[in-house]
Amino acid sequence: GLLVAAAGEGGSMDDLAALAALFDEVMIRAQAHLGMPAVDEVTVSDPRVGRVVIRPVGETMGTRMFLATTVPPGKSWRRVTNQLCT
């Protein structure tokens, strides 16, 4: 996959890109082992640091593109990323 956009504070672009690269692996395992065929985000959360949310935003020429968002503790992200990813 290709990281096409990143938002928020904290985390380098390289770190966010590495997390985005894991999205497909997490999705495959969720489908195979958990019966979740339509995974639309992967979130890594720490109560002190906040969240990193990876969402797919599309595919072009066989390459998946992702939005990576860093979210401070106690802040909302779902509505904004829904608008960007649909």
CSV table of all heavy atoms in Angstrom, one decimal, residues 1-6 16-17 19-21 23-24 27 39-41 53-68 84-86:
chain,number,residue,atom,x,y,z
A,1,GLY,N,0.8,-1.2,0.0
A,1,GLY,CA,0.0,0.0,0.0
A,1,GLY,C,0.8,1.2,0.0
A,1,GLY,O,2.0,1.2,0.3
A,2,LEU,N,0.2,2.3,-0.3
A,2,LEU,CA,0.9,3.6,-0.4
A,2,LEU,C,0.2,4.6,0.5
A,2,LEU,O,-1.0,4.8,0.5
A,2,LEU,CB,0.8,4.1,-1.9
A,2,LEU,CG,1.4,5.5,-2.1
A,2,LEU,CD1,2.9,5.6,-1.9
A,2,LEU,CD2,1.0,5.9,-3.6
A,3,LEU,N,1.0,5.2,1.4
A,3,LEU,CA,0.5,6.3,2.3
A,3,LEU,C,0.4,7.6,1.5
A,3,LEU,O,1.4,8.1,1.0
A,3,LEU,CB,1.4,6.5,3.5
A,3,LEU,CG,1.0,7.5,4.5
A,3,LEU,CD1,-0.3,7.0,5.2
A,3,LEU,CD2,2.1,7.8,5.5
A,4,VAL,N,-0.9,8.0,1.3
A,4,VAL,CA,-1.1,9.2,0.5
A,4,VAL,C,-1.3,10.5,1.3
A,4,VAL,O,-1.1,11.6,0.8
A,4,VAL,CB,-2.2,9.1,-0.6
A,4,VAL,CG1,-1.8,8.0,-1.6
A,4,VAL,CG2,-3.5,8.7,0.1
A,5,ALA,N,-1.7,10.3,2.5
A,5,ALA,CA,-2.0,11.5,3.4
A,5,ALA,C,-1.8,11.1,4.8
A,5,ALA,O,-2.1,10.0,5.2
A,5,ALA,CB,-3.4,12.0,3.2
A,6,ALA,N,-1.3,12.0,5.6
A,6,ALA,CA,-1.2,11.8,7.0
A,6,ALA,C,-1.6,13.1,7.7
A,6,ALA,O,-1.4,14.2,7.2
A,6,ALA,CB,0.3,11.5,7.4
A,16,LEU,N,4.3,6.1,10.1
A,16,LEU,CA,2.9,6.0,9.7
A,16,LEU,C,2.8,5.1,8.4
A,16,LEU,O,1.9,4.3,8.3
A,16,LEU,CB,2.3,7.4,9.4
A,16,LEU,CG,2.1,8.2,10.7
A,16,LEU,CD1,1.6,9.6,10.3
A,16,LEU,CD2,1.3,7.6,11.7
A,17,ALA,N,3.8,5.3,7.5
A,17,ALA,CA,3.8,4.4,6.3
A,17,ALA,C,4.0,3.0,6.7
A,17,ALA,O,3.4,2.1,6.1
A,17,ALA,CB,4.9,4.9,5.3
A,19,LEU,N,3.1,1.5,9.4
A,19,LEU,CA,1.8,1.0,10.0
A,19,LEU,C,0.8,0.8,8.9
A,19,LEU,O,0.1,-0.2,8.9
A,19,LEU,CB,1.2,2.0,11.0
A,19,LEU,CG,1.9,1.9,12.4
A,19,LEU,CD1,1.3,3.1,13.2
A,19,LEU,CD2,1.7,0.6,13.0
A,20,ALA,N,0.8,1.7,7.9
A,20,ALA,CA,-0.2,1.5,6.7
A,20,ALA,C,0.2,0.2,6.0
A,20,ALA,O,-0.7,-0.5,5.5
A,20,ALA,CB,-0.1,2.7,5.8
A,21,ALA,N,1.4,-0.1,5.9
A,21,ALA,CA,1.8,-1.3,5.1
A,21,ALA,C,1.3,-2.6,5.8
A,21,ALA,O,1.1,-3.6,5.2
A,21,ALA,CB,3.4,-1.3,5.0
A,23,PHE,N,-1.6,-2.8,7.1
A,23,PHE,CA,-3.1,-2.9,7.0
A,23,PHE,C,-3.6,-4.2,6.3
A,23,PHE,O,-4.5,-4.8,6.7
A,23,PHE,CB,-3.6,-1.7,6.3
A,23,PHE,CG,-5.1,-1.6,6.2
A,23,PHE,CD1,-5.9,-1.0,7.2
A,23,PHE,CD2,-5.8,-2.2,5.2
A,23,PHE,CE1,-7.2,-1.0,7.2
A,23,PHE,CE2,-7.2,-2.2,5.2
A,23,PHE,CZ,-7.9,-1.6,6.2
A,24,ASP,N,-3.0,-4.5,5.1
A,24,ASP,CA,-3.4,-5.6,4.4
A,24,ASP,C,-3.2,-6.9,5.1
A,24,ASP,O,-4.1,-7.8,5.1
A,24,ASP,CB,-2.7,-5.7,3.0
A,24,ASP,CG,-3.2,-4.7,2.0
A,24,ASP,OD1,-4.4,-4.4,2.0
A,24,ASP,OD2,-2.4,-4.3,1.2
A,27,MET,N,-6.0,-7.0,7.7
A,27,MET,CA,-7.2,-7.3,7.1
A,27,MET,C,-7.4,-8.8,6.7
A,27,MET,O,-8.4,-9.4,6.9
A,27,MET,CB,-7.4,-6.4,5.8
A,27,MET,CG,-8.7,-6.6,5.2
A,27,MET,SD,-8.9,-5.5,3.7
A,27,MET,CE,-7.8,-6.3,2.6
A,39,VAL,N,-13.1,-5.0,6.8
A,39,VAL,CA,-12.4,-4.2,7.7
A,39,VAL,C,-12.1,-2.8,7.1
A,39,VAL,O,-11.6,-2.8,5.9
A,39,VAL,CB,-11.0,-4.9,8.1
A,39,VAL,CG1,-10.2,-3.9,9.0
A,39,VAL,CG2,-11.3,-6.2,8.8
A,40,ASP,N,-12.5,-1.8,7.8
A,40,ASP,CA,-12.4,-0.4,7.1
A,40,ASP,C,-11.4,0.5,7.9
A,40,ASP,O,-11.1,1.6,7.5
A,40,ASP,CB,-13.7,0.3,7.0
A,40,ASP,CG,-14.3,0.7,8.4
A,40,ASP,OD1,-13.8,0.2,9.4
A,40,ASP,OD2,-15.2,1.5,8.4
A,41,GLU,N,-10.8,0.0,9.0
A,41,GLU,CA,-9.7,0.7,9.6
A,41,GLU,C,-8.9,-0.2,10.6
A,41,GLU,O,-9.4,-1.2,11.0
A,41,GLU,CB,-10.3,1.9,10.4
A,41,GLU,CG,-10.9,1.6,11.7
A,41,GLU,CD,-11.4,2.8,12.5
A,41,GLU,OE1,-11.7,3.8,11.8
A,41,GLU,OE2,-11.5,2.8,13.7
A,53,VAL,N,-4.8,6.0,13.5
A,53,VAL,CA,-5.8,5.3,12.7
A,53,VAL,C,-5.4,5.2,11.3
A,53,VAL,O,-5.0,6.2,10.7
A,53,VAL,CB,-7.2,6.1,12.8
A,53,VAL,CG1,-8.3,5.4,12.1
A,53,VAL,CG2,-7.5,6.4,14.3
A,54,ILE,N,-5.5,4.0,10.7
A,54,ILE,CA,-5.1,3.8,9.3
A,54,ILE,C,-6.4,3.4,8.6
A,54,ILE,O,-7.1,2.4,9.0
A,54,ILE,CB,-4.1,2.7,9.1
A,54,ILE,CG1,-2.9,2.9,10.0
A,54,ILE,CG2,-3.7,2.5,7.7
A,54,ILE,CD1,-2.0,4.1,9.7
A,55,ARG,N,-6.8,4.1,7.5
A,55,ARG,CA,-8.0,3.8,6.8
A,55,ARG,C,-7.6,3.8,5.3
A,55,ARG,O,-6.9,4.6,4.8
A,55,ARG,CB,-9.0,4.9,7.0
A,55,ARG,CG,-9.4,5.1,8.4
A,55,ARG,CD,-10.8,5.0,8.9
A,55,ARG,NE,-11.8,4.5,8.0
A,55,ARG,CZ,-13.0,5.1,8.0
A,55,ARG,NH1,-13.3,6.2,8.6
A,55,ARG,NH2,-14.0,4.6,7.2
A,56,PRO,N,-8.2,2.8,4.5
A,56,PRO,CA,-8.0,2.8,3.1
A,56,PRO,C,-8.8,3.9,2.4
A,56,PRO,O,-9.9,4.2,2.9
A,56,PRO,CB,-8.5,1.4,2.7
A,56,PRO,CG,-9.4,1.0,3.7
A,56,PRO,CD,-9.0,1.7,5.0
A,57,VAL,N,-8.2,4.6,1.4
A,57,VAL,CA,-9.0,5.6,0.7
A,57,VAL,C,-9.2,5.3,-0.7
A,57,VAL,O,-9.8,6.1,-1.4
A,57,VAL,CB,-8.3,7.0,0.9
A,57,VAL,CG1,-8.3,7.5,2.3
A,57,VAL,CG2,-6.8,7.0,0.3
A,58,GLY,N,-8.7,4.2,-1.2
A,58,GLY,CA,-9.0,3.8,-2.6
A,58,GLY,C,-7.8,2.9,-3.1
A,58,GLY,O,-6.9,2.6,-2.4
A,59,GLU,N,-8.0,2.6,-4.4
A,59,GLU,CA,-6.9,1.8,-5.0
A,59,GLU,C,-6.8,2.3,-6.5
A,59,GLU,O,-7.8,2.7,-7.1
A,59,GLU,CB,-7.4,0.3,-5.1
A,59,GLU,CG,-6.3,-0.6,-5.6
A,59,GLU,CD,-6.7,-2.0,-5.4
A,59,GLU,OE1,-7.3,-2.4,-4.4
A,59,GLU,OE2,-6.4,-2.8,-6.3
A,60,THR,N,-5.5,2.4,-6.9
A,60,THR,CA,-5.3,2.8,-8.3
A,60,THR,C,-4.2,2.0,-8.8
A,60,THR,O,-3.1,1.8,-8.2
A,60,THR,CB,-5.0,4.3,-8.4
A,60,THR,OG1,-4.8,4.7,-9.8
A,60,THR,CG2,-3.7,4.7,-7.6
A,61,MET,N,-4.4,1.4,-10.0
A,61,MET,CA,-3.4,0.6,-10.7
A,61,MET,C,-2.9,-0.5,-9.8
A,61,MET,O,-1.7,-0.8,-9.8
A,61,MET,CB,-2.3,1.4,-11.3
A,61,MET,CG,-2.8,2.4,-12.3
A,61,MET,SD,-1.6,3.6,-12.9
A,61,MET,CE,-0.3,2.5,-13.5
A,62,GLY,N,-3.7,-1.1,-9.0
A,62,GLY,CA,-3.4,-2.2,-8.1
A,62,GLY,C,-2.7,-1.8,-6.8
A,62,GLY,O,-2.3,-2.7,-6.1
A,63,THR,N,-2.5,-0.6,-6.5
A,63,THR,CA,-1.9,-0.1,-5.3
A,63,THR,C,-3.0,0.5,-4.4
A,63,THR,O,-3.7,1.4,-4.8
A,63,THR,CB,-0.8,1.0,-5.6
A,63,THR,OG1,0.2,0.4,-6.5
A,63,THR,CG2,-0.2,1.5,-4.3
A,64,ARG,N,-3.1,0.0,-3.2
A,64,ARG,CA,-4.0,0.5,-2.2
A,64,ARG,C,-3.4,1.8,-1.6
A,64,ARG,O,-2.2,1.9,-1.4
A,64,ARG,CB,-4.3,-0.5,-1.1
A,64,ARG,CG,-5.1,-1.6,-1.6
A,64,ARG,CD,-5.3,-2.6,-0.5
A,64,ARG,NE,-6.1,-2.0,0.6
A,64,ARG,CZ,-7.2,-2.5,1.1
A,64,ARG,NH1,-7.7,-3.7,0.6
A,64,ARG,NH2,-7.9,-2.0,2.0
A,65,MET,N,-4.2,2.8,-1.4
A,65,MET,CA,-3.8,4.1,-0.8
A,65,MET,C,-4.5,4.2,0.6
A,65,MET,O,-5.6,3.8,0.8
A,65,MET,CB,-4.2,5.2,-1.7
A,65,MET,CG,-3.5,5.2,-3.0
A,65,MET,SD,-4.0,6.4,-4.2
A,65,MET,CE,-5.6,5.8,-4.6
A,66,PHE,N,-3.8,4.8,1.5
A,66,PHE,CA,-4.2,4.9,2.9
A,66,PHE,C,-4.1,6.4,3.4
A,66,PHE,O,-3.3,7.1,3.0
A,66,PHE,CB,-3.3,4.0,3.8
A,66,PHE,CG,-3.4,2.6,3.4
A,66,PHE,CD1,-2.5,2.0,2.6
A,66,PHE,CD2,-4.4,1.8,3.9
A,66,PHE,CE1,-2.5,0.7,2.3
A,66,PHE,CE2,-4.5,0.5,3.6
A,66,PHE,CZ,-3.6,-0.1,2.7
A,67,LEU,N,-5.0,6.6,4.4
A,67,LEU,CA,-5.0,7.8,5.2
A,67,LEU,C,-4.5,7.4,6.6
A,67,LEU,O,-5.1,6.5,7.2
A,67,LEU,CB,-6.3,8.5,5.3
A,67,LEU,CG,-6.5,9.6,6.3
A,67,LEU,CD1,-5.7,10.9,5.8
A,67,LEU,CD2,-7.9,10.0,6.5
A,68,ALA,N,-3.5,8.1,7.1
A,68,ALA,CA,-3.0,7.8,8.5
A,68,ALA,C,-3.3,9.0,9.3
A,68,ALA,O,-2.9,10.1,8.9
A,68,ALA,CB,-1.5,7.4,8.5
A,84,LEU,N,-13.7,11.6,4.6
A,84,LEU,CA,-12.5,11.5,3.7
A,84,LEU,C,-12.5,10.2,2.9
A,84,LEU,O,-12.0,10.1,1.8
A,84,LEU,CB,-11.2,11.7,4.5
A,84,LEU,CG,-11.0,13.1,5.0
A,84,LEU,CD1,-9.8,13.1,6.0
A,84,LEU,CD2,-10.8,14.1,4.0
A,85,CYS,N,-12.9,9.1,3.6
A,85,CYS,CA,-12.7,7.8,3.0
A,85,CYS,C,-13.9,7.2,2.3
A,85,CYS,O,-13.9,6.1,1.9
A,85,CYS,CB,-12.3,6.8,4.1
A,85,CYS,SG,-10.7,7.3,4.8
A,86,THR,N,-15.0,8.0,2.2
A,86,THR,CA,-16.2,7.4,1.5
A,86,THR,C,-16.4,8.1,0.1
A,86,THR,O,-15.8,9.1,-0.1
A,86,THR,CB,-17.5,7.5,2.3
A,86,THR,OG1,-17.6,8.9,2.7
A,86,THR,CG2,-17.4,6.6,3.5
